[in-house]
């Protein structure tokens, strides 16, 4: 009866949290990263400039090969992954503890902003990565216990390979597991299945190497510039942002549990399961690497998300140890309350907050207001379509005008909310480090011909007017048109539109070639 009770509670938790994630996924427009990853699914590749291809396959699957365009279907893969993740969390912690500890871990997972929303309701590479991260941990426990055949080693190799194919962070699964084996289970090094599993992972991720070889290893060159150490000064502000961001993303109350668990491990007052060290190996190396990186570079808090998810599993065991059998920790209820409050208030703020928390300057209206990333684009697209039709009727613009942008966002927002639904052409013109995947996307799009017109569009909270180098590729540029976005009756952002007349293709070609990396996107 005891086990059945927690399984019923688990399924109810999954049902309620899935419905909540579906509501989140359906009521918010796509964010900058999400709308960009949606472009991956338009044309499948072995790898992409920023990330491996698993996110593209996931979006392609849930949108039925691109037939379904609404946000809910684009994000549906993340929602499905989160439901499966919760089951895996319960299964893993139950394996090393009991049903009650598994239940506590499932609650911690659900109340974490990273695992439940960022990787559970939004469509980011973290969604499939976290699924394969947890599946790999479950398989590791099985092979370490030695009660399974070599098939489990092969499945482990496939799972870690798929995790890396989701996001490069998956390599820390082999780093952590290898460290655990070297320190605790060296006998496993004598098993041929260990090396076969490694080989299987390498085979699974071989498309990443193939694509990068064909594209001058551009992914590694780009990321090296983002996370390198040499020649850079210490940046304590970036470190503080990483630490505070990690605390918030994991839910501050959850983070308290992780700290208390760490203290208990250190002082040895609580006896943890024998396999607890494997979870430390699967968390601490990645956390330390990200912290060191943040000393020299601007890092993002969700980069360490899978590492803290590994700690979350041990925290479930810790909560079971410190509470009476018939009770639940009061702080766990606080964690759920904090989670619910922040999510509800966040959604309300995005849609209805009557003030802008960004710049009030007309030229940069809304700059710094992150709530604008998921609202306003659908409304603007309808207004622009009306403008475009009126321009064609009046002769102010030639039919078939191309939309231009000079950065991967807002290019991706313009692509999804304007170009795709209204069957318009869009190109991104700029250096590779600015346009990212659009260096390849441009090759699938219609190129501008002599004398054709174009629109250059940008939102006031990001970037600015077209550069003179782009203006010089056209015979004439008109003064800008401004559409203002209002929220609760208050102006929060401007969408600025330039009409560019009489394209000069030779200058555009020279500009594009001057900005491109040889052999990339051609």
């Amino acid at each position: 009866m005891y086990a059945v009770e927690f399984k019923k509670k688990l399924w109810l938790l999954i049902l309620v949290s899935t419905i909540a994630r579906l509501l989140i996924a359906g009521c918010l427009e796509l964010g900058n990263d999400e709308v960009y990853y949606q472009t991956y699914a338009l044309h499948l590749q072995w790898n992409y400039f920023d990330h491996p291809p698993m996110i593209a396959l996931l979006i392609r699957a849930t949108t039925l090969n691109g037939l379904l365009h609404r946000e809910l279907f684009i994000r549906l893969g993340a929602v499905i992954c989160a439901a499966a993740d919760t089951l895996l969390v319960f299964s893993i912690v139950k394996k090393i503890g009991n049903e009650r500890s598994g239940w506590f871990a499932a609650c911690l997972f659900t109340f974490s902003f990273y695992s439940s929303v960022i990787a559970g309701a939004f469509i980011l590479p973290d969604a499939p990565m976290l699924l394969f991260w947890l599946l790999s941990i479950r398989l590791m426990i099985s092979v370490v216990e030695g009660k399974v055949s070599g098939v489990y080693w092969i499945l482990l190799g496939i799972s870690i390979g798929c995790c890396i194919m989701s996001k490069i962070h998956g390599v820390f699964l082999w780093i952590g597991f290898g460290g655990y084996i070297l320190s605790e289970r060296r006998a496993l090094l004598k098993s041929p299945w260990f090396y076969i599993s490694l080989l299987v992972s390498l085979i699974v991720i071989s498309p990443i190497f193939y694509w990068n070889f064909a594209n001058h290893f551009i992914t590694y060159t780009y990321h090296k510039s983002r996370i390198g150490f040499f020649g850079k000064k210490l940046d304590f502000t970036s470190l503080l942002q990483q630490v505070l961001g990690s605390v918030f993303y994991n839910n501050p109350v959850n983070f308290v549990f992780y700290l208390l668990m760490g203290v208990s491990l250190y002082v040895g007052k609580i006896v943890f399961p024998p396999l607890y060290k494997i979870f430390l190996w699967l968390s601490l190396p990645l956390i330390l690497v990200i912290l060191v990186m943040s000393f020299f570079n601007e890092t993002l808090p969700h980069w360490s998300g899978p590492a803290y998810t590994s700690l979350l599993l041990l925290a479930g065991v810790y909560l079971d140890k410190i509470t009476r059998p018939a009770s639940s920790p009061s702080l766990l209820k606080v964690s759920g309350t904090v989670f619910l409050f922040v999510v509800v208030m966040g959604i309300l703020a995005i849609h209805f907050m009557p003030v802008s928390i960004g710049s009030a300057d007309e030229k940069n209206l809304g700059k710094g207001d992150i709530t604008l990333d998921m609202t306003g684009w659908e409304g603007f697209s309808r207004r622009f379509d009306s403008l475009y039709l009126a321009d064609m009727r009046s002769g102010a613009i030639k039919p078939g005008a191309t939309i231009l942008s000079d950065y991967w966002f807002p290019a991706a927002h313009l692509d999804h909310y304007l170009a795709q639904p209204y069957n318009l052409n869009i190109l991104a013109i700029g250096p590779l480090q600015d346009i990212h995947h659009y260096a390849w996307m441009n090759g699938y799009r219609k190129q501008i011909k002599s004398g054709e017109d174009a629109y250059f569009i940008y939102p006031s909270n990001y970037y600015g007017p077209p550069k003179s180098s782009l203006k010089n590729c056209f015979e004439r540029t008109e003064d800008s048109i401004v559409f203002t976005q209002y929220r609760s009756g208050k102006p929060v952002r401007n969408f600025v539109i330039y009409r560019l007349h009489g394209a000069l293709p030779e200058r555009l070609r020279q500009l594009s070639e001057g900005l491109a990396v040889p052999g990339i996107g051609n």
Side-chain angles (χ1 to χ4, degrees):
M1 289 297 295
Y2 188 72
V4 171
E5 174 192 352
F6 283 109
K7 286 181 180 178
K8 286 183 178 179
K9 293 169 70 173
L10 173 69
W11 284 110
L12 181 60
L13 177 68
I14 292 173
L15 176 63
V16 173
S17 60
T18 298
I19 292 173
R21 292 185 188 110
L22 288 172
L23 291 173
I24 295 171
C27 75
L28 298 176
E29 294 179 11
L30 298 174
N32 291 335
D33 290 328
E34 295 179 285
V35 78
Y36 174 65
Y37 297 135
Q38 185 268 340
T39 66
Y40 285 11
L42 298 177
H43 302 281
L44 296 181
Q45 298 180 177
W46 290 111
N47 192 65
Y48 296 87
F49 176 72
D50 314 78
H51 289 292
M54 191 65 72
I55 185 67
L57 297 174
L58 185 60
I59 295 173
R60 197 72 173 250
T62 60
T63 59
L64 299 183
N65 210 29
L67 293 176
L68 306 173
H69 300 283
R70 298 302 303 176
E71 292 89 349
L72 176 61
F73 299 106
I74 293 171
R75 289 171 169 151
L76 185 58
V79 176
I80 294 171
C81 285
D85 292 342
T86 311
L87 278 173
L88 280 168
V89 166
F90 181 82
S91 174
I92 292 168
V93 180
K94 174 188 171 184
K95 184 75 173 175
I96 63 171
N98 54 46
E99 286 81 3
R100 186 167 179 260
S101 55
W103 162 250
F104 286 152
C107 289
L108 291 172
F109 181 90
T110 303
F111 301 153
S112 162
F113 298 109
Y114 168 74
S115 57
S116 200
V117 178
I118 295 172
F122 299 152
I123 191 65
L124 303 175
D126 297 70
M129 177 199 65
L130 197 56
L131 174 66
F132 290 112
W133 184 279
L134 290 166
L135 179 59
S136 298
I137 293 176
R138 183 63 183 84
L139 291 167
M140 285 177 192
I141 293 173
S142 295
V143 299
V144 165
E145 289 180 338
K147 299 176 182 178
V148 295
S149 67
V151 174
Y152 279 74
W153 279 104
I154 294 175
L155 291 174
L156 176 61
I158 294 173
S159 182
I160 296 180
C162 288
C163 189
I164 299 171
M165 287 290 281
S166 302
K167 200 171 182 180
I168 199 65
H169 295 58
V171 299
F172 280 88
L173 286 169
W174 273 123
I175 292 172
F177 192 41
Y180 173 77
I181 290 174
L182 284 172
S183 64
E184 304 294 329
R185 299 293 180 93
R186 293 184 184 177
L188 290 176
L189 295 174
K190 299 178 181 179
S191 170
W193 289 111
F194 172 75
Y195 304 98
I196 292 172
S197 186
L198 273 171
L199 178 61
V200 168
S201 288
L202 288 173
I203 293 172
V204 172
I205 67 174
S206 60
I208 297 176
F209 298 108
Y210 167 77
W211 184 90
N212 271 280
F213 178 79
N215 288 276
H216 308 280
F217 292 95
I218 192 64
T219 298
Y220 304 106
T221 303
Y222 168 68
H223 285 298
K224 181 181 178 182
S225 67
R226 297 180 71 196
I227 63 175
F229 304 105
F230 299 108
K232 296 183 178 180
K233 297 180 180 179
L234 292 176
D235 187 349
F236 289 98
T237 300
S238 177
L239 174 66
L240 183 63
Q241 289 175 346
Q242 176 63 37
V243 172
L244 295 180
S246 297
V247 172
F248 175 75
Y249 276 29
N250 287 279
N251 189 327
V253 182
N254 285 12
F255 210 87
V256 170
F257 289 136
Y258 304 159
L259 293 176
L260 292 175
M261 178 203 66
V263 172
S264 296
L265 275 172
Y266 182 76
V267 300
K269 285 188 175 181
I270 297 177
V271 179
F272 281 82
L275 290 177
Y276 79 90
K277 289 184 179 179
I278 196 170
F279 298 97
L280 299 181
W281 274 105
L282 293 172
S283 58
L284 297 183
L286 177 55
I287 291 173
L288 291 174
V289 166
I290 299 298
L291 287 176
V292 172
M293 284 169 47
S294 68
F295 266 113
F296 302 91
N297 307 273
E298 184 177 349
T299 57
L300 298 175
H302 71 280
W303 289 0
S304 57
Y308 285 107
T309 302
S310 300
L311 287 181
L312 178 153
L313 301 172
L314 273 184
V317 177
Y318 167 75
L319 292 179
D320 178 55
K321 297 280 188 179
I322 65 170
T323 54
R324 296 189 302 272
S327 64
S328 295
S330 298
L331 273 180
L332 189 60
K333 299 174 184 177
V334 175
S335 176
T337 303
V338 168
F339 175 82
L340 185 62
F341 176 80
V342 171
V343 169
V344 171
M345 293 304 296
I347 294 174
L348 291 176
I350 289 171
H351 284 295
F352 306 113
M353 187 165 57
V355 296
S356 173
I357 58 176
S359 172
D361 180 68
E362 188 69 16
K363 291 183 178 180
N364 301 295
L365 184 62
K367 186 176 179 64
D369 187 348
I370 61 174
T371 65
L372 295 175
D373 292 347
M374 296 185 183
T375 184
W377 285 98
E378 276 200 12
F380 166 69
S381 69
R382 290 190 292 270
R383 296 178 70 182
F384 177 83
D385 182 56
S386 298
L387 172 70
Y388 179 49
L389 293 175
D391 280 353
M392 286 193 295
R393 284 194 297 268
S394 66
I397 203 85
K398 294 177 182 178
T402 293
I403 299 169
L404 296 179
S405 182
D406 58 5
Y407 209 83
W408 63 270
F409 67 93
H413 266 112
L414 294 169
D415 202 333
H416 180 73
Y417 285 103
L418 206 162
Q420 293 175 41
Y422 296 105
N423 197 29
L424 301 174
N425 188 48
I426 181 169
L427 296 171
I429 307 295
L432 182 65
Q433 63 266 26
D434 288 349
I435 66 173
H436 291 207
H437 178 52
Y438 275 91
W440 288 262
M441 289 289 291
N442 288 341
Y444 297 106
R445 303 288 169 78
K446 180 179 75 70
Q447 302 304 301
I448 301 178
K449 296 180 181 179
S450 178
E452 290 185 343
D453 294 345
Y455 290 101
F456 182 92
I457 305 172
Y458 74 92
S460 59
N461 60 324
Y462 290 116
Y463 308 106
K467 298 180 178 65
S468 58
S469 58
L470 181 59
K471 288 183 178 181
N472 290 335
C473 296
F474 291 83
E475 295 175 354
R476 181 168 59 91
T477 302
E478 288 190 28
D479 291 338
S480 61
I481 304 165
V482 177
F483 288 161
T484 301
Q485 176 187 345
Y486 292 87
R487 183 170 58 195
S488 295
K490 303 291 184 180
V492 292
R493 173 168 58 180
N494 292 321
F495 291 95
V496 187
I497 306 165
Y498 285 81
R499 296 188 186 99
L500 308 175
H501 297 281
L504 303 170
E506 183 61 25
R507 291 186 183 180
L508 273 171
R509 185 185 63 80
Q510 292 174 356
L511 175 62
S512 298
E513 288 180 351
L515 296 171
V517 174
I520 299 297
N522 298 325

